[in-house]
Amino acid sequence: MALIFCDSFDHYTVGTQAQRKGWNDNVFGAVPGRNGTNGIAMNNDWTYVTLPAGDSFVMGCAVYFIGGGLGAPVFMFQDGNSAQCELKLDTSDKSLFVSRNGAEVGTSGPNAYQISGFQYIEWKVVIGNTGSTEVRVDGVVVLTLPNVDIQETGNAQATRAYLRGPGTTRFDDFYVATGGTYFGDVRVKAIFPDAAGNYSQFTPSAGSNYQCVDETPPNDDTDYVSSATAGHKDTYGFGAVGISGAVKGIQVLGLVRKDDAGSRTIRRIARIGGTDYNGSNIVVNDAYTYGIRDVLENNPATGLPWAVSEIDGAEFGIELVS
C-alpha cells in the first residue's frame, strides 16, 4: 500500500489554488468541512488528479450528499481521457452502484448512504476484464464484486482519479493509494511553518524567512523567500500536528516559481535529528505551482511509520540545487 496523493482542502479559498496542487480544474469552492476545517463543494461538476499508471487503487473521501444527482458518478477512475469505471449513487433508494463507462455492473442494497452529514466512503478497485471492486461506507462493506469487468479501454489501468459533485456535494479528507488496503476514516490535516529552522539561507522579502511562507492561503508575491545561489537551503519548524493516532503518511508541499531565464532545479529537505533527507530534483516552472509535492509514508530516518512526535520535531524546507 502506497499513498499517492492526499488533500485536506484546508489551504484553499478558491478552486484556482487547487489547480496548483494538481487538481485539473477550479470548479469547486471552499466550504466548511469536518473537524472545524475547510472542505470543498461541487454542484454537478467534476475535477481530477493524475495518477501513476496502475491497476490497483483505493480512493477515500468524506462525502456529504446534500441533494440531487440521481445516477451521477461520485468517484471515477479513467485511463487518460477515457472512463474505466465509476461509483454512482441512486437517490431514490440511497444505494451505491459501480458501472463500467456507464454500464452498471453491480449495486449495493438500499440505504447504503445517507443524505446530510459527512460519511467516509472508500472505493477499492482492481481494474481488468476480470477485475474486482469493493465499497465501504464508514468502515462497513456495502458492495463487493469479485471477478467483474471494470476495464473499458484496451489498458488494464487508471491514470486519473475523479471527484464529482452530483447535485450539491461536499468533500473533505481525500486520499488515493495503490494496493488493496483501506486507510479507513482518516483525517488529513494541513500544518504550516511557524518557526525558523536550521537553515535560513534564502532571502526574505520582509521579516523572518518562515514568516514569508506561513500564509494560508498563499499570498504569492506579497511576501516570499528567494535565492539564485545553488546549494542554498531554507527549513522551517511547523505547527504541532495536534491529533493522535497512526500516521498513514505526510505530504510535503512547496509553492514555487522561477522569475528569471534559464532552468532552475530544487528539492525537498526533511531535517530529522540533525540530518537532512533530500527528495528528488524538481524543475521549477515560471508560474506558481506546488512544484514540491512529495509523499513520505515513512520517517526516512527510521524507515518506519511516522510517530506524531517525530513530525512535530522535524523541519521541512527547500534546497536550490541548480
Side-chain angles (χ1 to χ4, degrees):
M1 190 71 171
L3 178 64
I4 299 173
F5 181 88
C6 61
D7 210 330
S8 66
F9 306 116
D10 295 343
H11 45 302
Y12 308 144
T13 56
V14 295
T16 49
Q17 294 162 358
Q19 287 180 286
R20 296 171 168 182
K21 188 173 177 180
W23 295 103
N24 81 299
D25 210 344
N26 62 348
V27 297
F28 53 73
V31 295
R34 306 196 302 172
N35 305 304
T37 61
N38 277 358
I40 59 168
M42 285 187 284
N43 190 339
N44 291 317
D45 222 322
W46 50 266
T47 188
Y48 69 81
V49 289
T50 301
L51 308 174
D55 67 349
S56 179
F57 297 96
V58 178
M59 185 185 335
C61 194
V63 184
Y64 184 161
F65 299 116
I66 296 173
L70 175 64
V74 181
F75 299 161
M76 179 165 58
F77 286 105
Q78 281 198 335
D79 176 21
N81 292 321
S82 301
Q84 293 282 32
C85 49
E86 307 96 353
L87 177 64
K88 298 181 176 182
L89 61 101
D90 186 333
T91 53
S92 63
D93 66 356
K94 300 182 180 63
S95 62
L96 293 164
F97 60 96
V98 173
S99 60
R100 182 189 67 255
N101 192 24
E104 183 178 330
V105 297
T107 184
S108 70
N111 300 310
Y113 70 93
Q114 64 186 11
I115 299 291
S116 79
F118 277 104
Q119 303 150 97
Y120 208 87
I121 298 178
E122 294 174 285
W123 183 29
K124 178 168 63 174
V125 300
V126 177
I127 296 171
N129 297 130
T130 307
S132 64
T133 185
E134 188 172 272
V135 182
R136 300 200 325 179
V137 179
D138 291 334
V140 177
V141 175
V142 299
L143 173 62
T144 300
L145 298 171
N147 302 319
V148 65
D149 185 358
I150 53 171
Q151 177 189 333
E152 178 67 15
T153 75
N155 307 309
Q157 66 178 29
T159 59
R160 294 176 178 174
Y162 278 74
L163 288 180
R164 175 168 178 158
T168 301
T169 307
R170 295 182 179 182
F171 301 92
D172 201 0
D173 298 324
F174 174 80
Y175 81 86
V176 183
T178 59
T181 303
Y182 295 107
F183 281 4
D185 184 344
V186 295
R187 179 174 178 181
V188 184
K189 182 174 181 180
I191 56 175
F192 304 94
D194 71 348
N198 185 72
Y199 303 107
S200 295
Q201 296 174 343
F202 280 49
T203 301
S205 61
S208 299
N209 288 39
Y210 81 90
Q211 292 173 325
C212 291
V213 295
D214 63 348
E215 291 80 16
T216 178
N219 63 10
D220 296 355
D221 287 333
T222 300
D223 60 4
Y224 54 88
V225 295
S226 63
S227 178
T229 304
H232 270 189
K233 303 176 182 181
D234 240 33
T235 57
Y236 318 103
F238 281 72
V241 174
I243 53 179
S244 60
V247 178
K248 302 299 184 181
I250 65 172
Q251 183 173 249
V252 182
L253 298 174
L255 188 70
V256 296
R257 76 174 181 94
K258 68 182 183 74
D259 63 358
D260 57 2
S263 176
R264 290 291 182 185
T265 304
I266 59 173
R267 62 183 177 184
R268 180 265 308 151
I269 303 171
R271 186 171 175 82
I272 304 163
T275 300
D276 295 346
Y277 299 88
N278 299 318
S280 301
N281 290 356
I282 298 165
V283 176
V284 183
N285 297 324
D286 291 331
Y288 277 113
T289 62
Y290 284 105
I292 295 176
R293 197 183 80 198
D294 202 2
V295 173
L296 297 170
E297 280 197 290
N298 295 323
N299 182 339
T302 65
L304 301 173
W306 290 93
V308 170
S309 60
E310 293 170 341
I311 301 172
D312 288 345
E315 299 174 14
F316 301 96
I318 185 174
E319 178 182 359
L320 179 62
V321 177
S322 63

